Amino acid sequence: MCGIFAVIGSREVSSLLIDGLRKLEYRGYDSAGIATIDNLNNDQNGQLNVTKSKGKLINLSSLIKKKPQKGHVGIAHTRWATHGKPNERNAHPHLDSSGQFAVVQNGIIENYRELSKRLKVKGIKLTTETDTEIIPHLIGLEIEESLANGLSPNEQTLLLAVQKVLAVLEGTYAIAVIWSRTPNALVVAREQAPLVLGFGEGEFFCASDTPALVGLTRTFLPLRDHEIALLTPLGIELYDDDGNRQHRAPSLLKGMELFADKRNFRHFMLKEIYEQPETAQLWIDRFLPVELPSHNPVAFPISKSILEQIEQIQILACGTSRHAGMVGGHLLEQFAGVPTKVYFASEFRYAPPPLSPNTLTIGVSQSGETADTLAALRMEKERRDSTKDANFSFHHLGITNRVDSSFGRELDNVIDIGSGIEIGVAATKTFLGQMLSFYGLTLQFASLRQKRSPQEILDLSNDLRLIPKQLSDLIKKHDSLSKDLAHLFVETKDVIFLGRGINYPIALEGALKLKEISYIHAQGYPAGELKHGPIALLDQHVPVVSLAVPGVVYEKVLSNSQEAKARDARLIGVSISGPESEMFDELFTIPKVSEWVSPLLTVVPLQLFSYHIAAHKGLDVDQPRNLAKCVTVE
Ligand code: M6R
């Protein structure tokens, strides 16, 4: 969360900074700001100019339009507040008392309280509630000392000062720093928060994520932990934390054509829902081509020798990714016979289960940057590596939409779900891609362990191959139906989602989507739990959405739905059409498919239902309040 963008070159940068932030706004949008150095006399004494604004980027960009800010170097930030309210004062960039140093930060400085006490002793008064403001003050103090010791006010002095300050910071963060006396220098550093460098023609960039570089350069290099870089109009110098110069070849951005274009859709979320048939088709073409034999049904880049050792699986993820993991957990246990547990990554880290032998740990994250998931994976690696017992080795796998993320760099085996960039904060097509990857793993394990016959493997594979067309039909049908129904729920305060078995995670996902974007309180329950408490909530004002899919628990879910209807709840079914479905007040029909693949379809009406309610309420669907696309703080 929070987006950093910075540029140095030979042209005016303020509009580039705003454009860069626009492409990163999905990372946080409660306030924004830029700082540039106006090199007035073309000497080494520029003037630092800062503009900040509360709220969406549009507020900042209209300020800059009214009062353009000069400079060939600048840093910019879009914020998702962690320390201090989202207001103009707490917005980044933050300055030192002399107004010479400006800093933007993404992450959390854990020891900022202790460091602010040190600053207080030196008579420095902090003016914001943030954990970031200490950084420019600390840099200012270091520079003061360096200059007193005879160093010149140049970029190497700035680099050295930032290096010294980094050594005392604790936490996970990425920063960018400028100094008014070095208008030809920009210093950036990373400690477990994402940061990439971009190489343009005569200009260089730094950003929290690659989309910010689109249209400026295709050549980029992700910074590694503990690295610091000095950017000048002539190039980039990269150093490790011991000050050793680093040389690595940059990479080329791929798939830029997929970048943020709403086409004719009103919101990215709707566009991304509509892209799901394509997501599924691309996934199938890549991983499930028809020519693969039943003893090796999926073209995943994971060595068979690793999978053969696995006796159990643990899945670590947050939010929607955890729901995909839960669908995966059901499939892996029930179809492939592999004992599987799914954890909240944020809980796992502090309450891990006792170590189990021959365990595959799967991390799931569309962004590949979620701090809780990364921390849980790192912790698991550390404790397994420290046993030195081969039975407890850290076998691991990441499922992500961003192979150029920390997931991609830190994990040896990664399944790229290849859904294309997702801009809407509410995950939709990446959820589908994550679920599909679990179907792939399930097929692989089921065939490897001979848990299922070749015919069963073939049946599931063929059912998956039908999904793109079925998705496309469903989206067309339910887009207009949910649009028509939306007005009925505008005043609704609570909604209960019921599902069982493989569709229980979809009930959770439906409730999460509705909460996130429409701000309606919603709870997902295993349908059988209704009578154990939540039924007390039901009356004509609390609609119940019921996922009733023919299969093991069909009759049970129908009875649970009847119980809700008997309490006057408005009943919305996601089910096949038939005599049983007459009990529903509203019905999102789905085709008759095998229960195994049903979650890939049942989630679609729920996404559209949430979308249309939020859009009807006039809410900011793509950037809901208090949320961010990428949660890089724990
Ligand atoms: O990037 P990740 O998949 O790791 O993100 C995990 C959650 O923060 C994310 O799924 C969140 O719940 C979404 N906003 C869901 O729509």
Side-chain angles (χ1 to χ4, degrees), residues 318-321 365-367 370 425-427 512-513 516 631:
C318 304
T320 289
S321 296
S365 170
Q366 68 79 22
S367 64
T370 297
V425 163
L512 179 64
K513 286 287 93 87
E516 277 190 302
V631 187

Short mmCIF file of all heavy atoms in Angstrom, two decimals, residues 318-321 365-367 370 425-427 512-513 516 631, ligand 1:
data_model
loop_
_atom_site.label_atom_id
_atom_site.label_comp_id
_atom_site.label_asym_id
_atom_site.label_seq_id
_atom_site.Cartn_x
_atom_site.Cartn_y
_atom_site.Cartn_z
N CYS A 318 -4.45 -14.40 2.31
CA CYS A 318 -5.35 -13.43 2.95
C CYS A 318 -6.52 -13.13 2.01
O CYS A 318 -6.38 -13.22 0.79
CB CYS A 318 -4.64 -12.10 3.18
SG CYS A 318 -3.15 -12.24 4.14
N GLY A 319 -7.62 -12.70 2.58
CA GLY A 319 -8.76 -12.18 1.82
C GLY A 319 -9.24 -13.14 0.75
O GLY A 319 -9.40 -14.35 0.98
N THR A 320 -9.46 -12.58 -0.42
CA THR A 320 -9.97 -13.37 -1.54
C THR A 320 -9.02 -14.52 -1.89
O THR A 320 -9.47 -15.61 -2.25
CB THR A 320 -10.16 -12.43 -2.75
OG1 THR A 320 -11.29 -11.59 -2.46
CG2 THR A 320 -10.42 -13.17 -4.03
N SER A 321 -7.73 -14.27 -1.77
CA SER A 321 -6.77 -15.34 -2.10
C SER A 321 -6.96 -16.53 -1.16
O SER A 321 -6.78 -17.68 -1.55
CB SER A 321 -5.34 -14.81 -1.98
OG SER A 321 -5.14 -13.81 -2.93
N SER A 365 -1.28 -15.22 -3.56
CA SER A 365 -1.41 -13.76 -3.50
C SER A 365 -1.44 -13.21 -4.92
O SER A 365 -0.49 -13.44 -5.67
CB SER A 365 -0.22 -13.17 -2.74
OG SER A 365 -0.20 -11.78 -2.87
N GLN A 366 -2.52 -12.51 -5.26
CA GLN A 366 -2.54 -11.97 -6.63
C GLN A 366 -1.42 -10.96 -6.83
O GLN A 366 -0.77 -10.95 -7.85
CB GLN A 366 -3.92 -11.40 -7.01
CG GLN A 366 -4.39 -10.14 -6.29
CD GLN A 366 -3.78 -8.85 -6.80
OE1 GLN A 366 -3.32 -8.80 -7.93
NE2 GLN A 366 -3.76 -7.83 -5.97
N SER A 367 -1.17 -10.11 -5.82
CA SER A 367 -0.15 -9.07 -5.97
C SER A 367 1.26 -9.61 -5.77
O SER A 367 2.22 -9.04 -6.25
CB SER A 367 -0.38 -7.97 -4.93
OG SER A 367 -0.22 -8.51 -3.62
N THR A 370 1.75 -9.12 -0.62
CA THR A 370 1.01 -8.98 0.63
C THR A 370 1.93 -9.30 1.81
O THR A 370 2.46 -10.41 1.92
CB THR A 370 -0.23 -9.90 0.61
OG1 THR A 370 -1.06 -9.44 -0.45
CG2 THR A 370 -1.00 -9.84 1.91
N VAL A 425 -9.90 -2.72 -6.98
CA VAL A 425 -9.41 -3.22 -5.69
C VAL A 425 -10.06 -4.55 -5.34
O VAL A 425 -9.44 -5.44 -4.76
CB VAL A 425 -9.63 -2.15 -4.59
CG1 VAL A 425 -9.53 -2.74 -3.21
CG2 VAL A 425 -8.59 -1.04 -4.76
N ALA A 426 -11.32 -4.71 -5.72
CA ALA A 426 -12.00 -5.99 -5.47
C ALA A 426 -11.51 -7.02 -6.49
O ALA A 426 -11.70 -6.85 -7.69
CB ALA A 426 -13.50 -5.79 -5.58
N ALA A 427 -10.89 -8.07 -5.98
CA ALA A 427 -10.33 -9.08 -6.88
C ALA A 427 -11.45 -9.89 -7.53
O ALA A 427 -12.37 -10.33 -6.85
CB ALA A 427 -9.41 -9.99 -6.10
N LEU A 512 -17.60 -11.05 1.09
CA LEU A 512 -16.46 -10.11 1.09
C LEU A 512 -16.62 -9.07 -0.03
O LEU A 512 -16.41 -7.87 0.19
CB LEU A 512 -15.14 -10.88 0.93
CG LEU A 512 -13.88 -10.02 0.89
CD1 LEU A 512 -13.67 -9.28 2.21
CD2 LEU A 512 -12.64 -10.85 0.58
N LYS A 513 -17.00 -9.54 -1.21
CA LYS A 513 -17.17 -8.60 -2.33
C LYS A 513 -18.21 -7.54 -1.99
O LYS A 513 -18.00 -6.36 -2.22
CB LYS A 513 -17.62 -9.32 -3.62
CG LYS A 513 -16.59 -10.14 -4.34
CD LYS A 513 -15.55 -9.36 -5.08
CE LYS A 513 -14.34 -9.13 -4.22
NZ LYS A 513 -13.30 -10.12 -4.19
N GLU A 516 -16.86 -5.08 0.69
CA GLU A 516 -15.78 -4.22 0.19
C GLU A 516 -16.26 -3.04 -0.62
O GLU A 516 -15.78 -1.93 -0.45
CB GLU A 516 -14.87 -5.03 -0.74
CG GLU A 516 -13.84 -5.85 -0.08
CD GLU A 516 -12.85 -6.39 -1.09
OE1 GLU A 516 -13.27 -7.10 -2.03
OE2 GLU A 516 -11.67 -6.10 -0.95
N VAL A 631 -1.54 -4.88 -0.12
CA VAL A 631 -1.44 -4.58 1.31
C VAL A 631 -0.03 -4.92 1.81
O VAL A 631 0.23 -6.02 2.28
CB VAL A 631 -2.53 -5.32 2.11
CG1 VAL A 631 -2.54 -4.88 3.55
CG2 VAL A 631 -3.90 -5.05 1.49
O1 M6R B 1 -2.64 -9.51 -3.24
P1 M6R B 1 -3.30 -10.55 -2.39
O2 M6R B 1 -4.06 -11.54 -3.18
O3 M6R B 1 -2.34 -11.22 -1.46
O4 M6R B 1 -4.34 -9.75 -1.49
C1 M6R B 1 -5.00 -10.37 -0.42
C2 M6R B 1 -6.16 -9.53 0.04
O5 M6R B 1 -5.73 -8.30 0.51
C3 M6R B 1 -7.16 -9.32 -1.11
O6 M6R B 1 -7.63 -10.51 -1.62
C4 M6R B 1 -8.37 -8.48 -0.64
O7 M6R B 1 -9.15 -9.23 0.22
C5 M6R B 1 -9.11 -8.01 -1.88
N1 M6R B 1 -9.40 -6.65 -1.80
C6 M6R B 1 -10.31 -8.82 -2.20
O8 M6R B 1 -11.14 -8.29 -3.15
#
